[in-house]
Amino acid sequence: MAASASNDVEAPMSADSSTERRNGGSVTFPFMIATLLFLSLAVLGWLFNLIVFLIEEFNMKSIAAAQITNIVSGCTFMFPVVGAIAADSFFGTIPVISVSAFISLMGVCLLTLIVSVDSLRPKPCETASSLCEPPSKIQLGVLYSAITLACVGAGGSRFTLATAGANQFNKTKDQGSFFNWFFFTWYFAAAISTTAIVYAEENISWTFGFGLCLAANLFGFLVFLSGKRFFKHDKPLGSPFTSLLRVIFAAVHKRKAEISIDNKDYHSESKTIPTKSFRFLNRAALKREDEVKPDGTISNPWRLCSVQQVEDFKAVIRIIPLALAILFLSTPIAIQLSLTVLQGLVMDRSLGPKFKIPAGSLQVVTLLSTCSFIIVNDRLLYPFYQKLTGKFLTPLQRVGIGHVLNILSMALSAIVEAKRLKKVENGHFLESSSVADMSALWLFPSLVIVGIGEAFHFPGNVALCYQEFPESMKNTATSITSVVIGICFYTSTALIDLIQRTTDWLPDDINHGRVDNVYWVLVIGGVLNLGYFLVCSWIYKYRNLKDDDHEKDSVISLP
């Protein structure tokens, strides 16, 4: 989806009578994209290298650092839904972005202060000694405060920026083009963060690297403020979740009522009756004499809902089983990201006599793979599939391909790790006693495959939620996938903790562990999850997707 930006390069810049006005339109495009670019650089610059920072600067054990990183990553992915609800229900998108960018600035500023002041970090470990001074409670308190502020700020602005940017345009084509640019910009910022900024942190200084993040955050904040006078300010319309809760309350209140097949018994402006699925909820739209005023309005919205409200709630329920499949698809990816950094630290990362790949930069392989194959998919694979079959790949089909590629990636990671452990067992080390005589380039193929899979399932999941969620929840729909990915970081942390408690596969020194067995567990889980996903996909019926072979569970229209 990110790379699709190239399909509509001129769309945001196209000025017509509906967009060329003072508020909104193409004039807001550079402000929105520049804000996204610099705020993304600010958060990803420290987040992608957090595990190395905790190990080297706070003397944390590798597995503990990986778990903390997963928790922090989960927060940055989960908080966007809080920002979306706050924007939709209370404040609007522009104020939420402004406050979030400022909060992020305070967090990154505090992180820069930590690496600049020695007293805010424990003393470095002595050379050739295993004795390291642990961080004090005050040092941890300052660290966690900085990370919390940075996470809250980043989460509150990320997907809210997507909604705010799309709101500046009236035409669907322009809105779609902005979403394309949004994802492309985010991936581009991620690639810069995992290369240039991470390299600066590890080869120049942490102060310089975090200083770059601080400068990017400040610049993004100022750019957004300078563009506020051009933005179209949307008004909060109230929480969409209130409507969903009303359906539940109304259905429970009328739980003893008999379900009718007569459209006159239901409250609907389009002469329709609810669908047969989840029939219990249909009672929420059953009319009683005292529930409708003479002018046709509802006396108590917590006792009577419209048919459309009932169908919207059903749409959300239908997505939940598929969201669980997304959760267990993303969990192995989160674990792989953490373990890849740990593997990179004990592998030969040299490229030539002078250059050494930072362990935190290994993730850029996945990012570049995803960007490249989004372009390949949009320009080659999808058109070829359509020409060959006469049909489009549905969102669920794309997600299914992502499942398969994810399983292949985990299997390949297990094989590579087994090869590395064989080197360790045979005593093939470099000058360092812990670095195996095996190039970190062996990690690249599995990272490329998981990136290709993400190019299929990430846009597929976003498209599924955006198309299938009710109109009143379109803004929230853009953050649903992010929330599910955020939860996966917590499930991955829990899974790592469980493996540590029950096996000896993940010691602090992975040279004495069996990381390959962890990957094989992920392969088995991926196969089971794929089976679950295929069952859910077979049962699922699209509401708003055109040109698919699935039967649509649409509302029945009556004359």
Side-chain angles (χ1 to χ4, degrees), residues 15-21 23-25 168-171 174 232:
D16 54 41
S17 58
S18 64
T19 58
E20 280 299 315
R21 57 178 182 271
N23 287 27
Q168 305 305 313
F169 302 96
N170 293 328
K171 292 185 177 181
D174 291 341
K232 183 195 303 182

Side-chain angles (χ1 to χ4, degrees), residues 292-335:
V292 180
K293 297 179 180 179
D295 59 358
T297 58
I298 300 175
S299 301
N300 187 346
W302 292 91
R303 292 290 182 265
L304 178 63
C305 301
S306 67
V307 171
Q308 187 61 50
Q309 287 177 306
V310 172
E311 292 304 311
D312 287 349
F313 186 72
K314 290 180 181 180
V316 175
I317 294 177
R318 294 188 188 102
I319 289 287
I320 293 177
L322 291 170
L324 293 177
I326 299 171
L327 172 64
F328 293 110
L329 169 64
S330 302
T331 297
I333 298 176
I335 294 178

Side-chain angles (χ1 to χ4, degrees), residues 399-460:
V399 175
I401 295 173
H403 274 270
V404 175
L405 292 174
N406 189 52
I407 294 172
L408 293 177
S409 174
M410 299 303 146
L412 185 56
S413 293
I415 295 172
V416 170
E417 176 62 12
K419 179 179 176 66
R420 191 193 69 83
L421 289 176
K422 193 68 175 178
K423 292 274 188 180
V424 172
E425 183 182 347
N426 294 333
H428 295 161
F429 294 101
L430 298 180
E431 296 179 2
S432 172
S433 60
S434 61
V435 177
D437 186 14
M438 180 175 175
S439 175
L441 296 179
W442 281 93
L443 300 173
F444 281 26
S446 59
L447 296 176
V448 169
I449 293 175
V450 81
I452 297 173
E454 188 172 337
F456 281 97
H457 68 74
F458 182 70

Side-chain angles (χ1 to χ4, degrees), residues 28 73 132 180 189 203 207 212 215 225 237 311 316-317 346 433 480 484 508 529 533:
T28 65
S73 299
C132 297
N180 291 336
N203 293 274
T207 302
L212 292 177
L225 292 182
L237 302 176
E311 292 304 311
V316 175
I317 294 177
V346 291
S433 60
I480 293 300
V484 174
D508 290 324
N529 188 42
F533 171 79

